[in-house]
Amino acid sequence: MHLQHHISLKPYNTFGIDVPASAFTTIDNENQLSEIPQNQKLYMLGGGSNILLTQPIEGLVLLNRLKGITTEKESEDHVWLRVQSGEVWHWFVMQAIEKGYGGVENLALIPGTAGASPIQNIGAYGVEAKETIDEVTAWHWGEKKFVTYTNSDCKFGYRDSIFKNQLKDQVFITSVTYKLNKVPKFNTSYGAITEELEKMHVQELSVKAIADAIIAIRSSKLPNPVVIGNAGSFFKNPTITKAHYEELLKTNSQIPSYPVNETHIKVPAGWLIEQCGWKGYKEGHTGVHAKQALVLVNYGNAKGSEVWQLSEKVVQSVKERFGIELEREVQVW
Ligand SMILES: Cc1cc2nc3c(=O)[nH]c(=O)nc-3n(C[C@H](O)[C@H](O)[C@H](O)COP(=O)(O)OP(=O)(O)OC[C@H]3O[C@@H](n4cnc5c(N)ncnc54)[C@H](O)[C@@H]3O)c2cc1C
């Protein structure tokens, strides 16, 4: 194990926050995991695209670089691909598309590693990772062995799983097996996909055409972390009761909504934040993105604590105006 000390984590998080880690090492072979000393707090790091660093990291950061894809099994209709957790998610999506396998094309261009895909059950354009995840294998720090979790063990929810709850900080995910469709079922129902496909003059639907459309939409809407530091959606879309929604409708006739079940409704957090006047707001080196109010940004040398404080103000104002408590999607270190 090659240990480094007092290194800056700035290159390792998409917010571009500059904090030091007291110890840092790279994991490129899963056998290394059993040798990691556990006398300090361990921080598992993938692409750093869903974290906000608010203070110097006192502990050992484990940068995941486990690589490789293997075909586990095949049937007439499906293929099971086991992907090592340090593979870049978008690269894996492109591999699947090249082979014509369906299931992950709507999740193209989401930053980060494959290993993080089950953690918050990544989702976009009407599709969630849980629909293709067959099982997840992880090194369990307490049990000191590899454990495999089936799809139902993972307790997937909206941007949620067992890995954000009972197993938080308990395991290092080493691989994820995805069950992909050899005969893709296209999902173009969400957002502007159909419009984009028309704009692209697509004659015949394919996983590649859908991914291309999604890449085009995402590139036009979301700030590129290479240019402006950010971690994508900072907040989750809140779920409220129907009664609460109907009450809000009386004074906010334009409020968008998506049914969750008979009794609950989901409301876009971006709309709520925008209504409170935050879109395009700047404060020091941080702010709320001008095109997408759900995204908090680092315009230069923002501290994680400044981004956190801004997020507190956003949470407070949405609570005061709508009586809705926003929950952060980003993991705070
Ligand atoms: C521009 C942009 C757009 C985005 N769009 C979306 C989107 O459309 N949908 C969506 O769902 N998300 C989106 N995200 C959020 C982010 O890309 C995902 O959450 C992604 O899965 C995070 O992967 P990562 O490897 O960067 O995780 P990291 O940020 O490195 O880690 C996130 C958390 O997971 C833990 N973790 C990471 N790897 C492991 C592991 N191997 N074992 C155990 N724990 C681990 C970390 O400790 C941390 O708590 C976006 C982010 C950005 C910057």
Side-chain angles (χ1 to χ4, degrees), residues 162-176:
I162 194 168
F163 306 107
K164 276 177 96 170
N165 297 291
Q166 293 97 310
L167 291 179
K168 187 174 164 63
D169 298 331
Q170 305 297 309
V171 298
F172 185 110
I173 294 172
T174 49
S175 70
V176 183

Side-chain angles (χ1 to χ4, degrees), residues 44 46-50 111-113 116 119-120 122-123 159 171 173 218 232:
M44 291 151 277
S49 63
N50 203 25
T113 53
I119 294 174
Q120 73 152 358
I122 55 170
R159 299 295 179 278
V171 298
I173 294 172
R218 290 183 68 100

